[in-house]
Amino acid sequence: MVIYLKNIFNDAGDITLFAARFFKEVLRPPFEIKEFIRQCYTIGYKSLPLVGITGFIMGMVLTLQSRPTLAEFGAESWLPGMVALSLIREIAPVITALICAGKISSGIGAELGSMKVTEQIDAMEVSAINPYKYLVVTRILATTLMVPLLVVFADAVGIYGGYIGINIHADVNLFRYFSQVLASLEFLDIIPATIKTFFFGFFIGMIGCYKGFTAANGTESVGKAANSAVVAASLTIFIIDMLAVQITDLFF
Amino acid sequence: MIPQETNIRKQETVGEENIDGTIISINGLFKSFGKNNDILKGVDLTVKKGENLVVLGKSGSGKSILIKCLVGLVPADEGEIKVFGTDISPLNNRQLNEIRVRIGFLFQNSALYDSMTVRQNLEFPLKRHSKKLSPSQVDEAVTNALESVGLAEAIDKMPSELSGGMRKRIGLARTLILKPEIILYDEPTTGLDTITSREISELILAIQKKDKTTSIIITHDMACAKLTGDRLVILKDGVIDAEGTYNELEKSDDEWIRSFFN
Ligand SMILES: Nc1ncnc2c1ncn2[C@@H]1O[C@H](COP(=O)(O)OP(=O)(O)OP(=O)(O)O)[C@@H](O)[C@H]1O
Ligand SMILES: [Mg+2]
């Protein structure tokens, strides 16, 4: 038990140092622009279908599930607004972030882990190329930027999914639906929800990189790196989400 | 075979080799991985400029660790390592990189970048360290380096499409492309057929002659050791156990030493 706790604190310390190094190196030239763009493409663009499909289903299912309850109170006209609000505030950010933890964090963990195990990271280091800068900084920046964009995409697709869901039972035209959605949204709903997605993105990238970069020798540690990256990233997402709610309550 | 314009040596902010021509000197190097797992227990070794030193030793004796300590990949526990006359242990990353850029390192398992084609693998260090090169010069350097290892046709392949021996040769080309002054070869001919092994050994020798490079060659291939080595050392139980030319060691009184040669 004591050893277990000690390990946790050791890990937390290492991770903090690892993250601190990011802030130290991110502002220092040379900048690996090409690799950054390549990462944005693989992390952002390639996740679009997955995020789109889940977002759509999420919006539609949420609508179908909430309809009976609202109908009982005769408040069916609130449906578009309520769906949009829950999507934007909570469901789309968290679900998208969890999907990204599964897809991106584990991908980064496995990729960097296998680079570590096959000495590719060492090879960069001996050819006087900073592997942290080339591999880690670019990936963390890319996830920090791409996850919020993916969330916005999921919001949009989810709201459209809600429209389809409503039209299964009723006949609402698209324009009316969207004007109801927009009327129910306030600026203050969007800001905190957006800010937390940047944190989600940062930690998804950072944890994947950390697990990969610190993988032990041997091929089985690649699998371990990917696996523990998903677990740690998912957990972190929930913790950030909880903190975000508390902080939002405090200020708004 | 190797491009002319790739000399990446920057302003010498770090020292030069000693007057007597010693370019690498290791004194009392200790390295262990955890308790009761001492790998190197006081290695003393000097290499002179222009010399090819062959390191022999059983599998697991710490040969790879030794050369990793030399470039600061693995931190030494104790002892002094001087490369180009500079003690490398107190250096920060930037200073270390100034030395690393002048050293080529061929990894035992090639360590090719999996996500890049062969061409990109070779360009990767070149573009970062010799920014003045035009695209056509980079192209030429890559083609030349690949031709020197006899794999010009593999230029657009991915590492996963190559055999182990081909990967090794691409790794060698990547090491040579920066025209390092010191080259550390970790088993350059392992996994290659006799003919290719011989070609690689001859290439190592040719590089030494042409560019006056200094090399440390770790090998189990005695034909390679015989051809390339000016001097041989044997690593045993964490220390340098024997030292001499190929002919001297082959006729050694110690049976254990002789056992390497047959
Ligand atoms: N990161 C590490 N952690 C723990 N032990 C290690 C580590 N790296 C190497 N070792 C140990 O150090 C010893 C020497 O390893 P090294 O790779 O230098 O052997 P070698 O002489 O190159 O062998 P080979 O000829 O098989 O390549 C081995 O017993 C290995 O178990
Ligand atoms: Mg070895």
Side-chain angles (χ1 to χ4, degrees):
Chain A
M1 184 66 197
V2 176
I3 294 174
Y4 180 73
L5 278 179
K6 205 177 131 199
N7 280 344
I8 287 188
F9 283 118
N10 271 344
D11 245 15
D14 287 348
I15 254 193
T16 314
L17 285 180
F18 191 81
R21 194 167 161 198
F22 169 80
F23 293 106
K24 213 174 82 190
E25 305 230 7
V26 69
L27 294 174
R28 218 190 278 160
F31 305 110
E32 303 281 358
I33 312 258
K34 241 186 176 166
E35 175 68 6
F36 168 68
I37 292 172
R38 204 174 71 86
Q39 287 307 322
C40 285
Y41 174 79
T42 37
I43 288 168
Y45 184 73
K46 294 232 167 132
S47 308
L48 277 181
L50 189 65
V51 169
I53 291 169
T54 28
F56 180 82
I57 294 175
M58 213 58 58
M60 194 167 86
V61 169
L62 196 65
T63 312
L64 293 175
Q65 297 275 35
S66 324
R67 223 184 80 90
T69 323
L70 285 182
E72 236 171 77
F73 297 104
E76 266 176 292
S77 59
W78 288 5
L79 198 49
M82 202 204 79
V83 168
L85 240 140
S86 14
L87 272 178
I88 288 175
R89 273 193 171 181
E90 184 61 30
I91 294 179
V94 172
I95 298 283
T96 307
L98 286 177
I99 287 173
C100 290
K103 184 172 186 291
I104 298 170
S105 227
S106 69
I108 292 176
E111 188 190 6
L112 297 196
S114 74
M115 288 187 78
K116 167 87 190 208
V117 168
T118 57
E119 296 181 316
Q120 294 174 49
I121 292 181
D122 287 346
M124 269 183 207
E125 205 158 338
V126 290
S127 49
I129 294 161
N130 183 344
Y132 191 95
K133 190 151 219 153
Y134 182 77
L135 298 170
V136 176
V137 171
T138 52
R139 278 168 177 76
I140 295 182
L141 274 184
T143 53
T144 312
L145 212 72
M146 286 300 121
V147 169
L149 289 180
L150 287 171
V151 170
V152 170
F153 178 68
D155 286 340
V157 178
I159 289 171
Y160 183 72
Y163 168 72
I164 302 285
I166 282 185
N167 272 287
I168 292 179
H169 292 283
D171 191 21
V172 183
N173 86 16
L174 190 64
F175 178 75
R176 217 181 105 94
Y177 175 76
F178 272 105
S179 56
Q180 273 180 350
V181 165
L182 287 179
S184 70
L185 287 181
E186 281 178 46
F187 200 54
L188 283 182
D189 294 325
I190 300 174
I191 297 296
T194 309
I195 291 173
K196 78 179 171 192
T197 57
F198 283 97
F199 284 91
F200 289 163
F202 175 79
F203 279 96
I204 285 169
M206 211 266 292
I207 290 170
C209 287
Y210 172 77
K211 293 290 181 187
F213 226 65
T214 52
N217 280 338
T219 32
E220 102 269 19
S221 62
V222 177
K224 257 189 214 156
N227 189 270
S228 59
V230 179
V231 174
S234 312
L235 211 72
T236 312
I237 286 165
F238 283 116
I239 293 172
I240 296 172
D241 196 44
M242 193 180 70
L243 290 177
V245 171
Q246 307 288 344
I247 293 170
T248 319
D249 265 3
L250 224 62
F251 286 102
F252 300 105
Chain B
M1 42 144 282
I2 299 170
Q4 300 302 309
E5 295 302 314
T6 51
N7 209 328
I8 28 66
R9 211 195 294 188
K10 305 209 182 77
Q11 284 217 311
E12 238 90 281
T13 47
V14 285
E16 265 312 308
E17 58 271 13
N18 291 354
I19 314 135
D20 63 350
T22 303
I23 197 164
I24 297 172
S25 79
I26 299 174
N27 270 314
L29 173 62
F30 277 82
K31 179 71 200 174
S32 66
F33 288 100
K35 276 184 201 135
N36 300 326
N37 193 9
D38 298 343
I39 308 295
L40 303 177
K41 304 173 200 164
V43 174
D44 299 312
L45 192 64
T46 57
V47 187
K48 289 206 159 38
K49 192 168 163 60
E51 182 182 36
N52 273 358
L53 177 79
V54 167
V55 178
L56 302 171
K58 287 201 338 199
S59 178
S61 56
K63 305 181 297 297
S64 299
I65 297 293
L66 175 67
I67 58 168
K68 283 181 185 170
C69 285
L70 261 182
V71 288
L73 262 187
V74 172
D77 293 344
E78 252 177 72
E80 184 189 60
I81 302 170
K82 279 189 169 174
V83 184
F84 302 118
T86 312
D87 187 357
I88 64 155
S89 41
L91 297 185
N92 65 25
N93 245 329
R94 194 184 55 79
Q95 293 165 321
L96 203 53
N97 279 347
E98 276 172 41
I99 287 182
R100 281 171 172 166
V101 125
R102 299 163 67 188
I103 303 178
F105 196 117
L106 175 67
F107 281 85
Q108 189 166 352
N109 299 313
S110 316
L112 299 183
Y113 304 126
D114 285 334
S115 59
M116 304 181 193
T117 64
V118 167
R119 181 201 300 275
Q120 288 164 337
N121 259 282
L122 269 66
E123 283 175 352
F124 187 67
L126 193 60
K127 279 186 174 164
R128 266 145 233 274
H129 294 307
S130 8
K131 296 219 165 70
K132 290 192 292 281
L133 292 185
S134 69
S136 67
Q137 281 172 315
V138 171
D139 257 6
E140 196 187 317
V142 170
T143 328
N144 284 341
L146 284 176
E147 267 165 13
S148 69
V149 296
L151 275 177
E153 76 280 2
I155 189 160
D156 287 317
K157 291 214 165 101
M158 296 301 284
S160 54
E161 298 169 299
L162 303 174
S163 73
M166 289 163 92
R167 294 168 67 102
K168 187 125 247 174
R169 286 188 280 162
I170 301 292
L172 185 58
R174 189 179 69 184
T175 309
L176 299 179
I177 201 164
L178 286 175
K179 290 193 88 181
E181 296 158 63
I182 297 176
I183 308 180
L184 310 172
Y185 300 94
D186 200 344
E187 309 198 3
T189 58
T190 306
L192 300 178
D193 59 283
T194 4
I195 300 168
T196 318
S197 291
R198 194 178 167 79
E199 281 170 12
I200 295 293
S201 304
E202 278 164 359
L203 178 64
I204 292 173
L205 204 59
I207 294 162
Q208 180 204 18
K209 293 272 141 55
K210 183 164 167 289
D211 300 327
K212 308 276 180 294
T213 52
T214 312
S215 307
I216 295 181
I217 302 149
I218 294 173
T219 190
H220 297 292
D221 171 6
M222 294 316 289
C224 170
K226 183 172 187 177
L227 191 66
T228 58
D230 298 319
R231 189 158 60 95
L232 282 65
V233 297
I234 302 180
L235 192 63
K236 184 193 182 192
D237 299 329
V239 293
I240 300 294
D241 187 62
E243 173 180 348
T245 63
Y246 186 91
N247 290 329
E248 283 165 15
L249 291 184
E250 194 182 20
K251 298 190 189 75
S252 160
D253 300 330
D254 190 334
E255 195 178 333
W256 189 81
I257 294 174
R258 276 205 315 276
S259 67
F260 275 93
F261 293 80
N262 46 45

